[in-house]
Amino acid sequence: EAGVVQSPRYKIIEKKQPVAFWCNPISGHNTLYWYLQNLGQGPELLIRYENEEAVDDSQLPKDRFSAERLKGVDSTLKIQPAELGDSAVYLCASSLMGGREAGYEQYFGPGTRLTVT
Amino acid sequence: TQLLEQSPQFLSIQEGENLTVYCNSSSVFSSLQWYRQEPGEGPVLLVTVVTGGEVKKLKRLTFQFGDARKDSSLHITAAQPGDTGLYLCAGDDMRFGAGTRLTVKP
């Protein structure tokens, strides 16, 4: 079974430019997560989707970040415009179910390493 | 948000030694997960603990969930270089601790 797929793996952009990341979750997983991970830190949740619905986006900086999950499968995360402080690894994860029920174990993709210069 | 604190932040040991890392919170969790992350990869789930006082073993790794379900520990017996990585705990609110970076020297 294929795991969570993310692309690109690496991205270098200049500040003020837009950037987008793509995630394809494990087939059949209803819940999708986007995390940001700074060097030496744990992942920080940005947004969680249950199917097409964003059920937790409280940590998403909505002035410059946006996300969508059309048709409840693939998802994209966009930053516009990027700032120097956005340099980090962006991780996508999926789980069979969300919330605090059994089956919410998350499976992560390899991440996209963003460098903003 | 239920804050998870992990300790120690860094740990460097020799092959064959035993070690324990901790994940603590002032809040109660219905369950808690442990992950290991290697450089350039996403975290990989090791175990989920759900019952207070529960002990789970995964080869040389022993995971314990505190009786009050506020804390957890991971004990590694006879550590090997392949155990090197960032060990993360996460609560059922999908929030992670900052992790313990373990280095096992041959």
Side-chain angles (χ1 to χ4, degrees), chain A residues 9-10 33 35 37 39-45 48 56 58-59 89 91 98-100 104-111 113, chain B residues 1-2 9 28 30-33 35 37 40-45 48 86 88 90-99 101:
Chain A
R9 288 296 310 273
Y10 305 91
Y33 314 77
Y35 288 87
Q37 186 174 27
L39 187 64
Q41 298 295 315
E44 301 172 26
L45 181 67
R48 175 168 66 96
D56 184 355
S58 58
Q59 301 301 310
V89 175
L91 293 164
R100 303 183 180 195
Y104 75 89
E105 289 85 355
Q106 299 178 61
Y107 296 86
F108 283 82
R113 181 175 296 277
Chain B
T1 301
Q2 303 174 97
Q9 186 177 359
V28 176
S30 59
S31 64
L32 191 144
Q33 298 177 332
Y35 293 79
Q37 185 177 23
E41 300 296 328
V44 175
L45 179 68
T48 301
L86 179 66
L88 296 157
D92 52 22
D93 60 350
M94 285 71 77
R95 265 65 175 181
F96 282 77
R101 187 166 297 280

Side-chain angles (χ1 to χ4, degrees), chain B residues 66-83:
Chain B
D67 291 340
R69 292 185 286 124
K70 292 183 178 181
D71 54 83
S72 182
S73 64
L74 160 58
H75 181 80
I76 302 179
T77 303
Q80 299 177 0
D83 295 327

Side-chain angles (χ1 to χ4, degrees), chain B residues 37-54:
Chain B
Q37 185 177 23
E38 298 187 20
E41 300 296 328
V44 175
L45 179 68
L46 296 174
V47 77
T48 301
V49 286
V50 296
T51 305
E54 180 178 11

